[in-house]
């Protein structure tokens, strides 16, 4: 096992606002290895985007309060100066964003935006080389007639092509880590399939580490090797993708599974919502952040869920699968109580 | 693009016709006697009803407006002969009529006054853009800091002072109280006559317009810039590893300029049409001052001409802004 | 969306936290999992005998495209909706799915008459009045019966109006209750959608996204509509909130016997909510059927591609599944392909597809499909199933030896249908 390329340890990000301090990310730790994909799942406000923007130092340093450690290829990013951060951005770590129409500058040609990304890390390259590189990358991500489309403006591209161009821009400097923040959320499902296929092909080709951030469990199931579930700014479950999605150990993950209809599942399965709303980050709940919405609090003695924050520790199935829950037997509760409600067909099969 | 310009110009001509027609009609159906002014002048203030009737007939006010108006419009293109007090004067194209006050072709006088107005407008606008936009950008980049907050609030106070008061105070301090050298004696001197005199004479007007306009343009461009800096594409630029100044100037500023340019188009047109207070206070013989005088003297042809000029200025500056718009933003297709 | 300057989460309103959440009802006592499971909703069932509340026949909407230049001539039309027919049963729900630009949202706006259709008819209600051609005055009483729920709960509510004013406005516009009865009705509606009725004097920004969508739903319910057009009602919401809103809509449908035209791109949500589904592509319905037929026995290659493109959660840790890949983008609706509109991206396309448009053929008791080579995945026929009916040969050229048969134009389902295996008309 090689050393992980990205090591995040006890990352905490807070933003002061007029209403108080927003605890966007709290004590988050994870690692990503070269050639592997980490999927981060969570809803808006779970801290999934904030934490990955911290990897590139994209937060406003004057206001964001960032503590903990982020090591990219061994280099500490937290507290790193702007000029050193710049060498990292786009070169070692690239990021692709959700809405490519908004994330590409509307006034500049697609090609020149790509060339710009190349030139900033290849100061000796000529403009012609950069343009050639841009065309090559557009071709690589499957844009037809790249030598012609290179001079188009983003609004002249279709949604899928824009996201491809965004990916091309991200990969133009062969980054070792690619962070894809909801890369297909704004896209139609057949285009989403094309983009996910492309991302997977490119990852195999470049052997880069990938973080894919999404709220879509299906996307994460097909893309990720490991999954990190975030809730209220903390990691609440972490482990190999198959483990997390087939034997989840955290009631929030159960809630996600039971509240999202599955097009490939049994047509008769029920939809059980998670009651309530996501927690306030200004004034997070005491104890486990999920306790106000959790239907299993009664199974933990002594009101512990309300008073005590559970640690993120290895669950009953082994060291690779961590959960942040006070339940003594999460696997048993899931298999005996939750599964029969949300996917009875799975039980009948086995 | 060409078709677009032609279309806009055609539309502009229609607007100009409507503007001049409405003023024309005002004199026709308005409560005053339009020939009174000229009658007073020609008779040395001894205008009798009989004489007034002669002038009224001579100036065509007894005819229907729809026979006179085409003649007026025709004169703009071909020139015409105008008879006042049995004296026929050739008025060459572009003929905007003869002044009722001095009987000279309006265009001749306008030609003389245009450079002054252009000088004031262009200089003032240049100054307020030069000050306002960079200040706005700087404030946006430091959003929320003490420097930003104090700039914004002090400019808010400044811009809530009425402009004429601001201009009067400037005049009072620089010209009357301090008698500042070089700029303390405002007035228009043609550039060709004396470049330094031109600068010195107009400096106070420019400073006034510049500072006052700058308070507004700082706020516009700060707002536009704050919005641009929070756009996704600016974050993308940063994530590419671009240096901060490229992120700010190449990516954010270009987007922020679009709304600023829009407001500027309207402002500049208004400036060109004449800055009455500025010209009055700083003693500059421009279009604005002229229009003011003409209204007081009921000098119809001059009022007519200045209104037409204002329309032209607004139409052209708006057209210019739209063209600039399409240069700045490739998504804008002019059609 | 988060960015550097704005911390993520919904900081506009720190006042609303879970404490005073959601409803007066379910926060007071905490549910155990067994109780929570009881609140879970099974997919909506089909009532095959329900009369249609809305019958849409050959509906068309063409938007003119103007030329640039001095004189703006109409140089073409965006055929946003081009001859679609379907029925929505009373108290039932029809799902309308398809990708952006397929015309599903335009269809919703036609039915609420935000647009006036270019052609076709829309018979509504027991009297079967055609709302396609009605003037605004004639429409006014009917507008009470057809209401709309919008996608974006953040922009579809006027921020300067209180929730009471928003929900009560339709009552005043239509003058249905005396002024002093408006507030009680508003409070009743707020309670119905799971909001605290005492919050009627709050403003929309004091509510979270899910709660705002509930306000939008309450507004739509104010006049007891018979038909709700829901255009992407949950796609702007967080996943854990989506299920709450879907369950709420299901409850309301049951309680008030409301029919839904449910427009969404999320195939899984539609499957759960709609016992019947129509799939649109480029302004046409390519397949319409009951849930089981669409999701487990799709016969149109586009429906199949659409379904196979949805990522599968059971694929965890095994990488991308093999799927039907569609290349390229949807063609322009200004100049759609001849014949079958899907043929340019269709893996099955043959000569006939370019020549003859496939009719929407009924192939089962509640299943219609528009494809010359209709069949389940891997079982598409080698020769066109439609040639005999249309009077053309296998290449799509007119065949004098075959007399064309009328292919049903009924917007609903006939008692007889064309059986693909036996190649003849059969009935139940």
């Amino acid at each position: 096992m090689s050393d992980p390329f990205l090591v995040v340890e006890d990352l905490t990000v807070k933003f002061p606002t007029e209403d108080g301090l927003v605890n966007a990310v709290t004590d988050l730790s994870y690692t990503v290895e070269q050639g592997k994909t980490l999927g981060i799942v969570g809803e808006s406000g779970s801290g999934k985007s904030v934490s990955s923007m911290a990897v590139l130092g994209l937060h406003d340093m004057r206001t964001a309060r960032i503590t903990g450690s982020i090591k990219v290829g061994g280099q500490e990013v937290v507290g790193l100066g702007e000029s050193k951060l710049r060498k990292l951005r786009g070169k070692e770590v690239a990021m692709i964003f959700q809405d490519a129409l908004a994330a590409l500058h509307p006034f500049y040609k697609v090609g020149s935006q790509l060339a710009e990304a190349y030139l900033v890390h290849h100061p000796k390259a000529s403009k012609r080389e950069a343009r050639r590189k841009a065309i090559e990358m557009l071709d690589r991500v499957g844009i037809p007639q790249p030598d012609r489309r290179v001079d188009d403006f983003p609004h002249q591209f279709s949604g899928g092509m824009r996201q491809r161009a965004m990916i091309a821009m991200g990969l133009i400097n062969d980054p070792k880590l690619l962070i894809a923040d909801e890369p297909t959320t704004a896209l139609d499902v057949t285009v989403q399939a094309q983009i996910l296929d492309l991302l997977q092909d490119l990852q195999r080709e470049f052997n880069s580490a990938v973080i894919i951030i999404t709220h879509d469990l299906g996307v994460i199931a097909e893309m990720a090797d490991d999954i990190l579930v975030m809730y209220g700014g903390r990691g609440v479950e972490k482990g190999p993708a198959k483990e997390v999605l087939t034997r989840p150990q955290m009631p929030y993950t159960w809630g996600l599974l039971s509240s999202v209809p599955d097009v490939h599942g049994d047509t008769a399965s029920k939809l059980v919502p998670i009651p309530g709303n996501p927690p306030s980050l200004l004034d997070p709940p005491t104890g486990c952040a999920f306790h106000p919405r959790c239907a299993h609090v009664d199974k933990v003695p002594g009101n512990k869920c309300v008073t005590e924050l559970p640690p993120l520790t290895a669950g009953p199935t082994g060291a690779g699968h961590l959960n942040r829950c006070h339940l003594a037997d999460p696997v048993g509760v899931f298999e005996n109580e939750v599964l029969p409600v949300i996917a009875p067909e799975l039980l009948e099969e086995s | 693009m060409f078709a677009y310009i032609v279309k806009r110009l055609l539309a502009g001509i229609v607007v100009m016709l409507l503007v001049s027609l409405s003023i024309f009609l005002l004199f026709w159906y308005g409560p005053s006697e339009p020939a009174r002014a000229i009658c007073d002048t020609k008779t040395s203030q001894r205008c009798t009803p009989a004489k007034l009737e002669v002038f009224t007939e001579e100036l065509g006010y007894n005819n229907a407006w729809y026979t006179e108006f085409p003649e007026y419009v025709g004169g703009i293109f071909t020139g015409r002969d105008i008879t006042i007090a049995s004296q026929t004067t050739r008025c060459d194209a572009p003929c905007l009529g003869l002044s009722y006050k001095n009987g000279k072709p309006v265009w001749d006088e306008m030609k003389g006054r245009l450079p002054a107005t252009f000088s004031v407008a262009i200089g003032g606008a240049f100054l307020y853009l030069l000050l306002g936009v960079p200040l706005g950008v700087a404030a946006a980049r430091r959003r929320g800091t003490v420097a930003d907050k104090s700039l914004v609030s002090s400019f808010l106070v400044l811009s809530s002072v009425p402009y004429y008061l601001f201009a009067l105070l400037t005049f009072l301090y620089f010209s009357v109280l301090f008698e500042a050298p070089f700029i303390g004696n405002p007035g228009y001197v043609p550039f060709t006559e004396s470049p330094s005199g031109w600068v010195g004479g107009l400096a106070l007007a420019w400073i006034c317009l510049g500072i006052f306009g700058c308070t507004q343009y700082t706020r516009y461009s700060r707002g536009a810039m704050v919005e641009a800096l929070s756009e996704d594409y600016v974050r993308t630029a940063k994530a590419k590893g671009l240096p901060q100044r490229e992120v700010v100037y190449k990516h954010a500023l270009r987007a922020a300029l679009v709304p600023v340019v829009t407001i500027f188009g309207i402002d500049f047109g208004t400036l060109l049409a004449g800055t009455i207070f500025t010209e009055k206070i700083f003693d500059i013989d421009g279009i604005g001052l002229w229009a003011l005088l003409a209204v007081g003297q009921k000098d119809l042809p001059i009022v007519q001409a200045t209104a037409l000029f204002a329309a032209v200025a607004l139409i052209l500056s708006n057209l210019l802004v739209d063209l600039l718009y399409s240069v700045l933003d490739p998504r804008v297709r002019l059609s | 969306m988060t960015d550097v300057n704005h911390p993520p989460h919904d900081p506009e309103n720190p006042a609303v936290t879970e404490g005073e959440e959601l409803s007066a009802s379910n926060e007071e006592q905490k549910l155990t999992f067994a109780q929570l499971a009881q609140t879970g909703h099974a997919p909506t069932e089909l009532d095959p005998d329900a009369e249609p509340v809305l019958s849409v026949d050959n509906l068309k909407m063409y938007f003119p495209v103007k030329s640039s230049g001095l004189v703006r001539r109409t140089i073409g039309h965006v055929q946003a909706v081009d001859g679609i027919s379907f029925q929505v049963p009373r108290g039932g729900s029809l799902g309308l799915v398809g990708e952006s630009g397929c015309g599903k949202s335009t269809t919703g706006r036609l039915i609420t008459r935000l647009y006036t259709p270019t052609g076709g008819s829309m018979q509504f209600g027991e009297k079967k009045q055609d709302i396609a051609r009605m003037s605004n005055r004639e429409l006014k009483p009917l507008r009470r019966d057809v209401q709309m729920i919008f996608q974006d709960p953040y922009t579809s509510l006027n921020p300067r109006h209180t929730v009471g004013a928003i929900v009560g406005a339709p009552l005043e516009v239509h003058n249905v209750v005396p002024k002093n009865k408006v507030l009680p009705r508003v409070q009743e509606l707020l309670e119905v959608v799971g909001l605290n009725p005492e919050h009627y004097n709050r403003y929309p920004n004091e509510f979270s996204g899910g709660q705002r969508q509930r306000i939008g739903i309450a507004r739509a319910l104010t006049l007891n509509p018979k038909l709700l057009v829901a255009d992407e009602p949950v796609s702007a919401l967080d996943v854990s909130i989506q299920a709450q809103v879907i369950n709420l809509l299901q409850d309301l449908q049951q309680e008030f016997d409301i029919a839904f035209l449910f427009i969404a791109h999320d195939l899984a949500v539609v499957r759960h909510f709609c016992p019947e589904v129509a799939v649109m592509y480029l302004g046409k319905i390519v397949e319409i059927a009951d849930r089981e037929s669409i999701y487990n026995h799709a016969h149109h290659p586009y429906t199949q591609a659409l379904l196979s493109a949805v990522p599968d959660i059971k694929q965890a840790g095994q990488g991308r599944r093999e799927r039907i890949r569609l290349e390229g983008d949807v063609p322009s609706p200004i100049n759609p392909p001849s014949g079958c509109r899907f043929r340019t991206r269709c893996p099955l396309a043959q000569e006939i597809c370019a020549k003859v448009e496939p009719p929407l053929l009924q192939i089962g008791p509640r299943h219609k499909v528009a494809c010359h080579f209709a069949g389940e995945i891997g079982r598409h026929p080698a020769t066109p199933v439609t040639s005999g009916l249309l009077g053309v040969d296998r290449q799509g050229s007119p065949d004098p030896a075959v007399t064309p048969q009328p292919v049903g134009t009924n917007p609903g389902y006939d008692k007889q249908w064309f059986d693909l295996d036996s190649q003849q008309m059969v009935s139940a």
Side-chain angles (χ1 to χ4, degrees):
Chain A
M1 204 193 245
S2 62
D3 274 348
F5 179 71
L6 175 70
V7 182
V8 175
E9 259 176 1
D10 299 329
L11 177 68
T12 298
V13 184
K14 294 175 196 276
F15 299 102
T17 66
E18 283 169 16
D19 301 316
L21 201 59
V22 172
N23 301 280
V25 177
T26 311
D27 291 334
L28 182 69
S29 303
Y30 62 83
T31 60
V32 193
E33 287 163 45
Q34 210 72 61
K36 293 280 182 192
T37 301
L38 171 72
I40 304 184
V41 207
E43 299 175 79
S44 50
S46 64
K48 57 192 197 305
S49 297
V50 175
S51 59
S52 32
M53 277 170 65
V55 174
L56 279 109
L58 283 179
H59 293 294
D60 189 341
M61 293 305 169
R62 289 174 305 142
T63 53
R65 297 188 199 156
I66 304 177
T67 57
S69 156
I70 301 171
K71 284 203 174 75
V72 174
Q75 185 176 30
E76 178 60 52
V77 170
V78 175
L80 196 64
E82 181 71 18
S83 64
K84 285 193 174 138
L85 272 176
R86 247 174 38 217
K87 291 207 168 64
L88 224 64
R89 291 180 192 146
K91 177 89 180 74
E92 301 286 311
V93 186
M95 195 155 178
I96 56 179
F97 299 99
Q98 172 176 353
D99 181 357
L101 183 61
L104 291 168
H105 201 297
F107 296 179
Y108 293 103
K109 289 173 180 169
V110 171
S112 60
Q113 298 192 47
L114 260 72
E116 183 184 54
Y118 183 72
L119 281 171
V120 70
H121 295 293
H122 297 81
K124 291 207 186 84
S126 70
K127 285 203 163 165
R128 279 185 64 175
E129 277 171 69
R131 185 185 157 87
R132 205 160 47 228
K133 184 77 187 170
I135 295 172
E136 183 195 315
M137 287 309 294
L138 287 178
D139 187 40
R140 183 63 203 84
V141 296
I143 288 185
Q145 298 178 286
D147 47 337
R148 218 167 49 81
R149 303 310 298 256
V150 72
D151 290 320
D152 277 359
F153 288 98
H155 70 272
Q156 293 165 308
F157 274 30
S158 70
M161 287 203 325
R162 275 195 289 270
Q163 196 53 279
R164 284 169 192 268
M166 193 80 217
I167 293 172
M169 191 157 85
L171 295 175
I172 202 163
N173 296 309
D174 295 341
K176 297 194 182 72
L177 170 65
L178 183 70
I179 302 175
D181 188 353
E182 302 269 7
T184 57
T185 303
L187 301 175
D188 278 321
V189 50
T190 59
V191 183
Q192 162 173 288
Q194 294 172 353
I195 298 293
L196 294 179
D197 285 342
L198 173 69
L199 272 175
Q200 196 165 55
D201 293 348
L202 292 170
Q203 175 179 26
R204 287 197 186 123
E205 186 180 325
F206 292 96
N207 194 38
S208 45
V210 172
I211 296 177
I212 186 159
I213 300 166
T214 178
H215 65 269
D216 187 325
L217 293 170
V219 169
I220 222 123
E222 294 201 3
M223 298 295 289
D225 299 299
D226 295 293
I227 291 178
L228 168 67
V229 182
M230 289 189 73
Y231 186 78
R234 290 179 197 268
V236 294
E237 181 155 9
K238 199 162 76 171
K242 193 169 175 69
E243 274 285 307
V244 171
L245 289 178
T246 55
R247 277 192 290 179
Q249 298 174 357
M250 166 74 197
Y252 174 64
T253 319
W254 304 343
L256 281 183
L257 285 167
S258 68
S259 62
V260 180
D262 174 14
V263 80
H264 300 286
D266 185 352
T267 33
S269 43
K270 275 187 173 178
L271 209 55
V272 183
I274 306 176
N277 276 338
S280 155
L281 297 174
L282 285 165
D283 180 23
T286 56
C288 171
F290 187 60
H291 87 258
R293 306 173 75 188
C294 184
H296 303 276
V297 172
D298 56 331
K299 298 190 182 75
V300 177
N303 213 18
K304 241 168 102 182
C305 297
V306 183
T307 55
E308 199 180 307
L309 175 71
L312 186 63
T313 47
T317 54
H321 189 171
L322 315 179
N323 71 67
R324 191 187 283 283
C325 185
H326 286 309
L327 281 176
D329 177 22
V331 177
V333 174
F334 177 70
E335 287 181 349
N336 297 323
E337 285 192 47
V338 182
L339 208 54
V341 174
I342 65 171
E345 83 277 8
L346 289 183
L347 295 174
E348 284 154 22
E349 276 169 31
S350 57
Chain B
M1 177 75 122
F2 178 72
Y4 175 75
I5 295 175
V6 172
K7 203 159 97 183
R8 282 290 300 265
L9 287 178
L10 287 176
I13 288 171
V14 173
V15 171
M16 283 184 254
L17 279 176
L18 288 176
V19 167
S20 50
L21 179 63
S22 51
I23 291 173
F24 212 76
L25 290 179
L26 206 65
F27 277 76
W28 234 262
Y29 294 112
S32 71
E33 296 152 327
R36 169 73 67 179
I38 197 162
C39 177
D40 281 345
T41 315
K42 293 288 176 192
T43 57
S44 313
Q45 305 303 323
R46 280 193 294 270
C47 181
T48 60
K51 282 178 182 161
L52 182 65
E53 180 49 36
V54 172
F55 280 105
T56 304
E57 173 63 33
E58 208 168 35
L59 293 173
Y61 286 116
N62 284 340
N63 302 338
W65 66 268
Y66 46 81
T67 57
E68 293 296 306
F69 186 66
E71 200 173 316
Y72 173 80
V73 174
I76 296 177
F77 294 100
T78 59
R80 61 188 167 120
D81 294 319
I82 298 171
T83 307
I84 295 176
S86 314
Q87 203 178 354
T88 302
T89 314
R90 175 67 195 168
C91 171
D92 289 322
C95 173
L96 297 170
L98 302 181
S99 164
Y100 288 177
K101 211 69 201 162
N102 58 21
K104 286 189 196 141
V106 170
W107 173 244
D108 289 352
E109 191 168 354
M110 191 180 228
K111 259 194 310 201
R113 286 171 178 270
L114 282 176
T117 291
F118 280 134
S119 299
V120 172
I122 293 172
F126 182 72
L127 207 62
Y128 67 57
L129 285 182
L130 198 72
L131 289 173
V133 174
L135 272 176
V137 170
R141 290 181 66 179
R142 288 164 189 76
R143 186 162 82 118
T145 61
V146 178
D148 171 44
K149 281 179 183 158
S150 46
L151 185 80
V152 169
S153 47
S154 61
F155 274 20
L156 197 65
V157 171
L158 203 59
S159 63
S160 59
V161 177
Y163 175 70
Y164 69 91
L165 190 64
F166 183 75
L168 272 175
L169 287 175
T170 311
F171 182 72
L172 184 69
Y173 276 90
F174 285 89
S175 294
V176 182
L177 295 180
F178 300 150
E179 293 182 32
F182 186 57
I183 60 167
N185 190 18
Y188 177 69
V189 181
F191 183 78
T192 44
E193 225 166 80
S194 153
S196 67
W198 180 73
V199 173
L202 292 169
L204 276 187
W206 287 342
I207 290 169
C208 237
L209 282 172
I211 290 177
F212 201 79
C214 146
T215 61
Q216 294 170 26
Y217 276 81
T218 301
R219 282 186 298 134
Y220 300 149
S221 41
R222 179 188 174 277
M225 196 65 186
V226 164
E227 198 173 309
L229 283 173
S230 71
E231 292 285 354
D232 281 9
Y233 52 77
V234 169
R235 183 182 58 183
T236 310
K238 210 171 157 190
K240 279 185 201 174
L242 290 180
Q244 190 65 19
R245 53 160 210 288
E246 271 187 56
V247 174
V248 171
Y249 292 103
K250 191 174 165 192
H251 288 259
L253 182 60
R254 184 162 167 194
L257 279 180
V258 170
V260 176
V261 161
T262 312
I263 302 171
F264 178 70
I266 300 162
D267 275 1
F268 189 64
T270 319
L271 259 187
L272 275 182
T275 47
I276 294 177
F277 287 125
T278 316
E279 291 180 7
K280 176 88 184 156
I281 291 165
F282 298 107
D283 195 21
I284 296 159
D285 263 346
I287 304 287
L289 195 57
W290 193 39
L292 188 68
L293 291 173
V295 170
Q297 297 170 341
K298 293 183 184 152
D299 200 339
L300 169 64
I302 295 178
V303 175
Q304 180 86 299
T306 49
L308 207 56
F309 176 74
V312 172
L314 275 171
I315 288 162
L316 286 184
S317 63
N318 274 316
L319 178 61
L320 205 69
V321 164
D322 284 353
L323 295 181
L324 205 58
Y325 224 85
S326 73
V327 173
L328 278 174
D329 186 345
R331 287 171 303 179
V332 176
R333 272 182 57 234
L334 299 180
S335 62
Chain C
M1 235 297 315
T2 59
D3 74 50
V4 255
N5 296 315
H6 303 282
H9 126 106
D10 191 348
E12 303 130 54
N13 181 27
V16 176
T17 51
E18 333 63 68
E20 45 186 322
E21 246 346 281
L22 267 184
S23 65
S25 54
N26 74 9
E27 268 307 306
E28 280 140 23
Q29 88 223 34
K30 189 144 185 83
L31 300 179
T32 63
F33 182 72
Q35 290 165 320
L36 180 67
Q38 290 301 310
T39 69
H41 283 45
T44 313
E45 295 294 331
L46 175 72
D47 173 7
D49 304 320
E51 284 291 303
V53 67
L54 175 75
S55 187
V56 170
D57 193 9
N58 202 20
L59 190 65
K60 287 181 183 167
M61 184 73 224
Y62 293 177
F63 296 102
V65 183
K66 302 276 188 188
S67 67
S68 56
L70 269 182
V71 186
R72 289 166 64 84
R73 301 181 314 273
T74 300
I75 49 172
H77 285 95
V78 174
Q79 304 179 6
V81 172
D82 194 15
I84 61 171
S85 304
F86 59 82
Q87 287 182 336
V88 183
R90 196 188 159 82
S93 37
L94 174 72
L96 211 51
V97 299
E99 298 181 282
S100 40
C102 71
K104 57 185 193 299
S105 287
T106 306
T107 306
R109 285 169 195 195
L110 286 169
I111 286 160
T112 45
R113 274 298 303 274
L114 296 174
Y115 298 145
T116 303
T118 312
S121 70
M122 302 188 284
Q123 289 180 352
F124 178 77
E126 278 145 26
K127 293 185 205 144
K128 303 214 181 299
Q129 289 166 287
D130 185 3
I131 51 176
R133 290 276 153 254
M134 278 187 184
S135 68
N136 276 331
R137 228 180 58 218
E138 293 169 299
L139 272 172
K140 198 179 169 196
L142 282 167
R143 286 202 194 275
R144 295 169 51 172
D145 292 338
V146 185
Q147 292 288 322
M148 193 155 184
I149 306 172
F150 298 93
Q151 169 176 4
D152 191 343
Y154 293 90
T155 56
S156 58
L157 302 177
N158 187 331
R160 286 180 226 290
H161 289 179
T162 61
V163 167
I166 290 169
V167 176
L171 292 173
E172 289 172 23
V173 171
H174 287 272
N175 248 332
V176 277
V177 294
K179 275 226 162 12
N180 60 355
K181 292 279 161 52
V182 171
L183 183 58
R185 173 76 177 138
V186 166
Q187 293 188 315
E188 181 193 333
L189 285 162
L190 291 179
E191 189 145 18
V192 161
V193 298
L195 292 169
N196 186 335
E198 296 310 313
H199 290 176
Y200 66 89
N201 53 359
R202 297 194 176 188
Y203 288 88
N205 69 336
E206 296 177 59
F207 294 87
S208 69
Q211 292 172 316
R212 280 184 228 197
Q213 195 56 297
R214 287 171 191 265
I215 297 167
I217 293 168
R219 172 179 60 185
L221 290 178
T222 309
L223 297 168
N224 293 320
K226 295 196 180 74
L227 174 66
L228 269 180
V229 176
D231 191 354
E232 302 277 6
V234 297
S235 49
L237 304 176
D238 263 326
V239 283
S240 73
I241 307 299
Q242 284 189 6
Q244 296 175 0
V245 173
I246 294 168
N247 284 359
L248 170 68
L249 291 177
Q250 274 185 298
D251 290 340
L252 297 173
Q253 178 171 38
Q254 287 268 311
E255 192 175 340
F256 301 110
D257 200 27
I258 303 169
F260 275 80
L261 182 68
F262 195 93
I263 301 165
H265 69 278
D266 187 329
L267 293 156
V269 167
V270 169
R271 190 183 81 159
H272 185 82
F273 195 82
C274 305
E276 285 187 291
V277 181
V279 181
M280 288 187 74
Y281 184 81
L282 214 56
K284 300 252 182 205
I285 290 179
V286 296
E287 188 160 11
I288 178 167
D290 56 26
R291 177 188 291 131
E292 174 71 13
S293 305
I294 286 280
Y295 286 91
N296 293 337
H297 306 283
H299 275 59
H300 196 285
Y302 179 64
T303 314
Q304 292 159 354
L306 212 52
L307 286 168
S308 100
V310 181
D312 186 356
I313 196 163
K314 289 193 260 330
Q315 197 66 17
Q318 296 162 45
R320 299 279 289 158
R321 192 166 43 94
E322 270 308 306
R323 50 173 40 96
I324 306 169
R325 287 194 182 202
L326 286 187
E327 301 299 332
D329 289 315
V330 182
S332 158
I334 299 175
N335 230 332
S338 64
C340 173
R341 294 190 173 184
F342 183 58
R343 69 176 164 86
T344 51
R345 301 171 74 199
C346 181
L348 309 173
Q350 292 185 26
E351 211 179 328
I352 184 174
C353 302
K355 285 186 183 157
V356 188
E357 187 187 330
L360 193 60
L361 181 67
Q362 187 171 342
I363 57 160
R366 295 189 87 87
H367 192 175
K368 291 181 186 181
V369 63
C371 177
H372 294 301
F373 299 95
E376 289 193 48
I377 293 188
R379 291 180 52 210
H380 292 283
T383 56
V385 294
T386 48
S387 56
L389 296 168
L390 297 170
V392 294
D393 62 16
R394 286 175 188 185
Q395 281 72 44
S397 309
D399 186 349
V402 193
T403 32
Q405 296 171 32
V407 177
T409 45
N410 179 359
Y413 295 101
D414 290 320
K415 296 264 176 279
Q416 279 200 319
W417 63 87
F418 185 78
D419 184 66
L420 288 176
D421 293 327
S422 61
Q423 294 274 317
Q424 54 189 322
M425 298 302 284
V426 297
S427 54

